[in-house]
Amino acid sequence: MNLILLGAPGAGKGTQAELLVKKLSIPAISTGNMLREAMNNGSQLGQQVKKIMEEGSLVPDDVVLDIVAERVSKDDCANGFILDGVPRTLAQALALDERGIQIDHVVSIEIDDSVIEGRMTGRRVCSKCGASYHVVANPPKVEGVCDACGGELTIRKDDAAETVRHRLQVYHQQTEVLKSYYAKQNKLCMVEGNQSIENANRDILQAIGANV
């Protein structure tokens, strides 16, 4: 089963992908993770990607699709895969079709912008060990201090309020059109994202007809 997870930044795609990996025994392909790996490598491509992502803009299609096409051709994708973060534009969706990458179901996780902004702007990351916190959902014992190593907690640039709003604007302008594209192919199912992780996962499995 080849799946696409759609949803605005912070809608919970990554969390749901992790659960689906365990239940469906297929790999999740997160372009965000792959692009972050490129940034950490410090290559020329990684530096280019870092600048683009920090501005909240989209990475060029050819870069994203080269990464995805290579990944889905690997043996562990023979029984299916989950795409998280691609396609983000209609051009990318068309390019997937042209490359013969078959998609069975497209799940759109629906959630209000105001909820997403609260989720993302509340994130904090330890500057030393990288541990993640949230001021409401998962606060540290001492404000601004990492429980694990005592490092200073910081706000990543892509979690700053102005960047989050820009990313949401980009999503609505360039990505939401994919819902109508896949609806016409009878592949789209929409799931309420502002509920418990477990309930959202149950709804996704029901929507794609997975017997687990």
Side-chain angles (χ1 to χ4, degrees):
M1 183 183 291
N2 300 341
L3 305 175
I4 290 173
L5 291 182
L6 289 181
K13 299 187 296 298
T15 299
Q16 291 301 329
E18 288 178 12
L19 294 173
L20 292 170
V21 165
K22 295 175 184 175
K23 294 184 178 180
L24 301 176
S25 298
I26 56 177
I29 299 170
S30 167
T31 51
N33 287 344
M34 286 189 285
L35 293 170
R36 274 188 283 275
E37 285 176 16
M39 288 192 294
N40 291 336
N41 291 339
S43 64
Q44 185 174 354
L45 172 63
Q47 292 172 8
Q48 177 189 355
V49 168
K50 182 177 181 180
K51 183 175 186 297
I52 294 168
M53 290 183 71
E54 285 183 345
E55 291 170 351
S57 300
L58 296 178
V59 178
D61 288 355
D62 56 343
V63 175
V64 173
L65 292 169
D66 284 348
I67 292 172
V68 172
E70 180 183 355
R71 181 66 185 85
V72 300
S73 68
K74 294 186 177 178
D75 291 344
D76 65 338
C77 292
N79 293 323
F81 52 81
I82 303 161
L83 291 182
D84 168 14
V86 65
R88 287 190 175 184
T89 63
L90 184 57
Q92 287 183 358
L94 292 168
L96 286 178
D97 290 346
E98 289 168 1
R99 289 174 181 235
I101 300 175
Q102 176 64 35
I103 301 299
D104 300 307
H105 298 284
V106 178
V107 177
S108 178
I109 301 174
E110 301 290 308
I111 190 162
D112 289 341
D113 284 2
S114 59
V115 175
I116 287 180
E117 191 169 330
R119 282 185 182 182
M120 297 183 71
T121 57
R123 289 176 178 170
R124 300 292 184 271
V125 178
C126 177
S127 57
K128 285 187 179 179
C129 72
S132 297
Y133 298 87
H134 191 281
V135 294
V136 176
N138 180 34
K141 293 174 184 175
V142 178
E143 184 177 349
V145 179
C146 177
D147 295 348
C149 74
E152 180 187 2
L153 299 184
T154 60
I155 301 173
R156 295 187 313 170
K157 187 169 182 180
D158 54 354
D159 289 334
E162 61 272 18
T163 306
V164 171
R165 293 190 193 108
H166 178 65
R167 291 175 69 192
L168 288 169
Q169 183 181 15
V170 170
Y171 172 77
H172 291 305
Q173 288 175 346
Q174 300 191 27
T175 307
E176 265 197 315
V177 66
L178 294 175
K179 289 196 284 189
S180 59
Y181 177 73
Y182 286 115
K184 290 174 183 174
Q185 298 181 16
N186 294 317
K187 295 178 179 178
L188 180 72
C189 43
M190 294 193 286
V191 170
E192 172 58 50
N194 193 21
Q195 57 177 327
S196 71
I197 291 169
E198 295 77 15
N199 287 348
N201 188 250
R202 176 204 63 205
D203 289 352
I204 290 172
L205 291 169
Q206 288 179 349
I208 64 178
N211 296 316
V212 293

